[in-house]
Amino acid sequence: MKPWWILFLWATSAVFAVETVHVEHADGVPYLAVDGQPVRARFFFGNNGTRPLIVTEEMQTFSVEFTPLYNADKRGTVHFRFGKQPGQIEIREFSLVDVTTGEAVVPPCRFENMEVFQRNWHIWDQTRNGQVNAELEATPDRGLVVTIPKNVPQGTDFHIYHQTNLDLTPDKTYRVTVKIRSNAKRQIQMRFYRPGTPYQFLGGSTNLFYSQIGLAKKAGAKFISFSLPSIWPNAQGEVDWKVLEGQIEGILHVHPDVLLVPRITMNPPQWWLDRYPEDCMVWKGNTHHVPFVSVSSRRYREWGVRVLTEAVRRLEAKYGDSIAGYHPCGQNTGEWFTFDGWLSGMAGYGVADSVAWRAWLTEKYGTDAAIRKAWGDAAITLASAEVPEYAFRQEALKRPLLEPEKEPKLQQLVDWNFFLQDQMADTVCAFAHATREASAGKKLVLFFYGYAFEFGGVQNSPAYIAHYALRKVLDSPDVDILCSPMSYYDRKPGGSGPCMLPAESVTRAGKMYLYEDDTRTFLTQEMNFPGWDSGATTLDGTRELLLRNTAQTAVRNFATWWMDLGASGWYDSPELWEIMRRLALMDAYFLKHPTPYEPEVGVFLDEAAVMRLSSPRASSKMLTVVRQPLGRVGTSYGQYLFDDLRSGRVKAPKLCVLLHPQCYTEAERAEIEKQCHGSRVLWVDSEGLTLETLEKAVAEAGVHRYADNACNVWANGPYLVLHASQDGDVHVAARNADAPLYDFLTGEKIAENGRAVLPMKFGETRLLVSGKDFCNEGNTP
């Protein structure tokens, strides 16, 4: 392995041509290698976008200058997106001029009446019931008045847009002026587009994408992820490669030496859904869903493989020297869980679902006699088996557990749950294989999947989400990196920012886990995204959260990207990227000294057992909430799949926290405990886990506690990461009691012998290290 300082020469030098980017392994630890050289697994994710206009009760005039990223081809338009917040907005005037010539592209429009509005403007209301959930009027004294009512349906994105006839070119600068007010403070997005398949973002108010790329690159995060426009053809079979390639060329024009990881949407366009309705999802219990493809559709998989293969081959041929990997995304928010899975109603009633269901049952049971015996139904046949009735599925949610050994008819629901997982995982694996082949095995393949600890509270049961076939995905040789956001549970200041995935099972399988850090920063203005209330509003508060999150990924051998979720400059701050730069020495240590993360506490989740969990109340405390006390107990813990323990791939830690005991018989539980080889076993049922119970079990197991006072802890090698959940003194006991203890960032010695008392404030993060050799002392190499 190269000396660590060579890695940082690489990180600060220009890289103009890359042949291979792989996940490699050293001593069981995954790391990223670019042309065989190990590098920091640190990314930035962003997109072209704008900061929202902050509109208040006072009439304001916003004047914004911008240069279009691309040529609008006389098809440009401007959107005003108002969000879901109820209230009333007045737009008194709008104009658009060429700054150089003063020529009016759009003459001043004062919206004196609705006829004036309708002459050049339109509305868009993406609701699930087809109704327009806003009222518009126009008067000479108030201009255009938009009223957003209360109880706007989920998914609504009401906005107005100009006719698609604006002639905008990238060799000119334009000034857009708008006079606007609201009856309450709100955020309004104003963005220019060229409509088409796909839509092409042209600009608007301040676009901070490229400046953030520059900051990330300087901090040693040279992997840049972003969303590509759609790779799917239009109804005439044509792909607008100009739009797609323009996104890449825009980045490389400004930053030619970054490594790109494009996110590729696998959700087909509307024309495809219209042409193949039998391949779409069908719900019962709630019909307010937009059309969407079913992952059970074999036609969809065939199309997806074809369009993905063509896109990757084309991108490799043209931009392969700059591309590090590919990230196919699909279903809900691109994260490969059931579309609209959080909403009421249940899907599964489309033609493609029925066909795939019967094929799945035939593969499992083989004969009518076998399925009749399993389901306790003398009339059922493999050819006639229907998707479980909606009423039956709903009734089952009242049960904490599906027990077909007591009621055989429940076996069809257990089978259905397994079927859902297989359909999603098989789709992921098919697209992964296509990506691997199209890139000739030279580039990374990334996917979102396996959020096993996150979906305990889903109203239709965790299995409905279809994220519980992680082992199948881990066994695929075509997947390199599995990604998830940091958990939306316990991510606030004082929390542990836990993983959604059984992350340690991912790394044990030879894959890399990527921890998406979409923390709200002090620069975030939006309030309409997941986790909007769980970030920080100050620079100092943001710093503490990013230190907590990024240092955790270092000691656990994870990749991470900082994500500008709003595409509005969340990370456009040199002070924030200084954190990433300062942590480079910690990354360098683990690249030079690969150290498996092997905590003395492990929590184990059984995917097969989750197929029997029904009531969300019974599963939430086990799967989701259990991570909070585990984070606060003062020692590190790992998150695993249960089959790693049973197979011996993971040695039983001193304390094994096992979930869902009600899914096993008494004899099965005894056998499981025997497989833990004398380790202390703590079962967690639907009542959840308290910190007091966990502390007692930790003491009985002889687990080393690094800190008290309910402090969040992560430790590996000489490094110790602390994040305070409350004010007060924290008694620290490093693993190496003989070595002096230092503050990693400042180099200050805080103890002679690995023992210290640290006064800490709620939400504060401290990075400690045993031995001065591993201190940052305010500098990086």
Side-chain angles (χ1 to χ4, degrees):
M1 180 178 291
K2 297 285 186 182
W4 63 263
W5 53 269
I6 289 182
L7 305 177
F8 290 93
L9 288 178
W10 182 91
T12 56
S13 63
V15 177
F16 297 105
V18 171
E19 183 174 352
T20 63
V21 186
H22 292 150
V23 173
E24 303 288 357
H25 315 88
D27 299 328
V29 177
Y31 65 90
L32 289 187
V34 176
D35 290 335
Q37 297 302 313
V39 298
R40 300 177 73 193
R42 303 291 173 249
F43 296 59
F44 169 67
F45 178 93
N47 282 302
N48 289 303
T50 61
R51 282 186 170 168
L53 306 178
I54 306 301
V55 180
T56 64
E57 296 178 24
E58 295 185 7
M59 183 63 67
Q60 299 178 76
T61 299
F62 293 92
S63 184
V64 176
E65 292 188 1
F66 77 101
T67 300
L69 295 169
Y70 313 103
N71 196 317
D73 298 326
K74 297 183 180 181
R75 293 191 286 127
T77 181
V78 60
H79 287 196
F80 284 90
R81 297 173 182 260
F82 301 107
K84 304 174 186 177
Q85 176 187 344
Q88 197 170 80
I89 305 99
E90 298 178 14
I91 303 178
R92 296 278 179 88
E93 184 176 317
F94 174 86
S95 65
L96 180 67
V97 300
D98 182 322
V99 171
T100 302
T101 65
E103 179 184 357
V105 180
V106 177
C109 178
R110 296 181 176 85
F111 305 106
E112 295 93 341
N113 53 58
M114 287 302 296
E115 181 181 353
V116 171
F117 172 78
Q118 292 168 350
R119 193 177 303 149
N120 287 299
W121 296 81
H122 305 281
I123 65 171
W124 176 257
D125 190 52
Q126 187 180 331
T127 63
R128 300 182 187 278
N129 57 13
Q131 298 177 356
V132 175
N133 284 278
E135 297 177 0
L136 274 75
E137 62 176 332
T139 65
D141 57 332
R142 299 181 68 190
L144 181 69
V145 181
V146 180
T147 303
I148 309 293
K150 295 181 179 180
N151 303 318
V152 175
Q154 184 167 347
T156 296
D157 182 18
F158 180 82
H159 57 275
I160 64 172
Y161 64 98
H162 193 274
Q163 279 191 17
T164 57
N165 59 6
L166 303 181
D167 186 14
L168 306 172
T169 60
D171 59 342
K172 294 183 178 181
T173 297
Y174 301 88
R175 180 184 301 114
V176 56
T177 303
V178 59
K179 292 183 70 172
I180 192 168
R181 68 174 295 273
S182 173
N183 67 338
K185 183 178 179 181
R186 71 186 303 124
Q187 299 160 349
I188 296 176
Q189 287 285 359
M190 179 184 67
R191 294 179 175 178
F192 287 81
Y193 296 93
R194 189 191 77 167
T197 305
Y199 262 61
Q200 186 173 32
F201 173 80
L202 300 176
S205 55
T206 309
N207 180 7
L208 299 173
F209 181 39
Y210 300 114
S211 65
Q212 290 178 97
I213 292 175
L215 292 171
K217 185 177 67 170
K218 290 179 182 178
K222 296 188 65 169
F223 294 96
I224 306 301
S225 186
F226 59 99
S227 298
L228 276 181
S230 176
I231 64 171
W232 287 72
N234 60 24
Q236 289 72 46
E238 303 166 336
V239 178
D240 193 340
W241 296 109
K242 179 181 177 182
V243 175
L244 188 147
E245 293 170 354
Q247 176 82 332
I248 294 176
E249 290 171 359
I251 297 172
L252 294 179
H253 177 73
V254 180
H255 298 289
D257 56 342
V258 296
L259 298 177
L260 305 179
V261 182
R263 187 179 290 190
I264 301 173
T265 180
M266 297 307 298
N267 294 331
Q270 186 63 49
W271 72 262
W272 194 96
L273 302 175
D274 293 339
R275 183 175 295 179
Y276 304 114
E278 64 272 26
D279 296 291
C280 293
M281 298 175 72
V282 175
W283 286 265
K284 289 187 178 180
N286 183 352
T287 59
H288 297 165
H289 298 268
V290 298
F292 214 83
V293 70
S294 168
V295 293
S296 296
S297 164
R298 299 306 184 263
R299 189 193 335 257
Y300 163 60
R301 290 188 198 171
E302 291 169 1
W303 269 80
V305 165
R306 188 162 62 248
V307 299
L308 183 58
T309 298
E310 181 180 2
V312 171
R313 285 177 176 171
R314 184 181 180 100
L315 294 175
E316 277 294 294
K318 196 165 186 178
Y319 306 107
D321 288 350
S322 298
I323 292 180
Y326 299 91
H327 189 174
C329 297
Q331 283 290 299
N332 204 99
T333 55
E335 295 171 87
W336 296 110
F337 65 87
T338 302
F339 180 71
D340 276 358
W342 288 107
L343 303 185
S344 61
M346 290 180 169
Y349 297 99
V351 174
D353 301 306
S354 295
V355 171
W357 170 234
R358 290 169 183 154
W360 187 92
L361 290 173
T362 299
E363 182 177 352
K364 176 177 179 177
Y365 288 108
T367 66
D368 292 340
I371 192 174
R372 287 168 178 167
K373 181 179 179 181
W375 287 14
D377 184 347
I380 194 71
T381 68
L382 293 170
S384 66
E386 299 288 347
V387 171
E389 285 294 332
Y390 171 70
F392 184 33
R393 294 166 69 182
Q394 281 287 301
E395 181 65 26
L397 295 177
K398 300 175 183 178
R399 306 165 181 262
L401 188 68
L402 300 177
E403 299 179 277
E405 61 274 12
K406 296 180 180 179
E407 293 183 70
K409 67 177 182 178
L410 295 175
Q411 183 60 44
Q412 65 174 300
L413 295 182
V414 175
D415 284 342
W416 176 253
N417 286 341
F418 275 106
F419 166 79
L420 293 176
Q421 317 317 304
D422 281 345
Q423 298 311 293
M424 192 69 75
D426 288 348
T427 300
V428 165
C429 291
F431 292 160
H433 184 66
T435 307
R436 177 72 82 209
E437 288 201 328
S439 61
K442 294 181 178 182
K443 301 297 172 65
L444 299 171
V445 180
L446 299 81
F447 275 88
F448 290 114
Y449 192 73
Y451 302 4
F453 287 94
E454 194 69 10
F455 290 125
V458 174
Q459 60 182 309
N460 288 331
S461 82
Y464 182 71
I465 289 296
H467 258 229
Y468 293 91
L470 178 58
R471 177 55 61 192
K472 176 179 285 192
V473 176
L474 291 178
D475 287 343
S476 168
D478 301 314
V479 177
D480 298 303
I481 298 178
L482 283 164
C483 317
S484 80
M486 60 186 292
S487 176
Y488 292 111
Y489 178 79
D490 203 36
R491 63 157 55 187
K492 294 182 179 181
S496 60
C499 301
M500 292 185 176
L501 271 72
E504 275 62 53
S505 284
V506 174
T507 58
R508 290 301 181 93
K511 315 294 185 184
M512 180 162 276
Y513 169 58
L514 191 149
Y515 177 97
E516 176 182 284
D517 194 341
D518 56 349
T519 293
R520 170 189 175 147
T521 75
F522 76 102
L523 295 173
T524 304
Q525 297 177 337
E526 299 92 336
M527 294 183 294
N528 58 351
F529 56 91
W532 70 268
D533 60 344
S534 299
T537 57
T538 65
L539 172 60
D540 287 343
T542 303
R543 175 183 179 276
E544 300 302 324
L545 288 178
L546 294 181
L547 277 174
R548 177 196 70 183
N549 301 341
T550 310
Q552 175 187 172
T553 67
V555 300
R556 296 176 75 175
N557 300 307
F558 298 162
T560 188
W561 61 48
W562 288 1
M563 183 181 196
D564 180 13
L565 182 59
S568 58
W570 289 16
Y571 290 88
D572 192 52
S573 163
E575 292 86 354
L576 295 184
W577 287 101
E578 177 64 11
I579 295 168
M580 185 74 80
R581 190 189 73 83
R582 296 282 294 276
L583 291 175
L585 191 62
M586 187 181 291
D587 289 336
Y589 172 86
F590 286 109
L591 284 172
K592 183 180 180 182
H593 306 283
T595 309
Y597 179 70
E598 296 177 334
E600 295 181 331
V601 177
V603 58
F604 296 87
L605 181 145
D606 186 346
E607 291 187 300
V610 174
M611 299 303 97
R612 303 182 65 191
L613 299 179
S614 190
S615 166
R617 182 184 178 279
S619 55
S620 178
K621 289 185 178 181
M622 281 186 291
L623 305 186
T624 303
V625 180
V626 69
R627 295 168 298 176
Q628 184 180 60
L630 284 166
R632 305 286 197 280
V633 77
T635 191
S636 293
Y637 78 97
Q639 296 171 241
Y640 303 90
L641 288 175
F642 179 60
D643 64 6
D644 270 335
L645 184 64
R646 300 195 84 167
S647 67
R649 285 188 293 260
V650 171
K651 181 182 177 182
K654 287 185 176 181
L655 176 60
C656 297
V657 180
L658 305 180
L659 308 179
H660 30 68
Q662 68 272 41
C663 295
Y664 311 106
T665 66
E666 185 175 340
E668 288 172 332
R669 289 196 298 271
E671 179 61 26
I672 291 169
E673 293 184 15
K674 183 178 178 181
Q675 292 175 330
C676 292
H677 304 293
S679 296
R680 173 72 163 85
V681 172
L682 177 62
W683 289 98
V684 179
D685 60 17
S686 58
E687 295 303 313
L689 178 63
T690 67
L691 182 57
E692 293 73 19
T693 299
L694 183 57
E695 287 176 331
K696 180 181 178 182
V698 163
E700 292 172 350
V703 170
H704 179 81
R705 291 188 70 187
Y706 295 89
D708 62 358
N709 206 6
C711 190
N712 300 284
V713 170
W714 303 268
N716 198 14
Y719 295 101
L720 179 60
V721 183
L722 307 173
H723 184 75
S725 62
Q726 58 191 23
D727 294 340
D729 289 343
V730 176
H731 293 79
V732 177
R735 171 68 70 179
N736 188 346
D738 297 326
L741 199 59
Y742 292 85
D743 184 296
F744 169 73
L745 294 176
T746 67
E748 175 191 0
K749 183 187 288 185
I750 61 176
E752 292 288 350
N753 61 359
R755 301 291 185 268
V757 178
L758 299 181
M760 294 186 70
K761 296 292 186 181
F762 170 79
E764 181 183 0
T765 302
R766 295 290 299 271
L767 310 184
L768 308 182
V769 60
S770 296
K772 192 175 181 62
D773 290 345
F774 309 116
C775 283
N776 211 336
E777 296 190 271
N779 298 291
T780 54

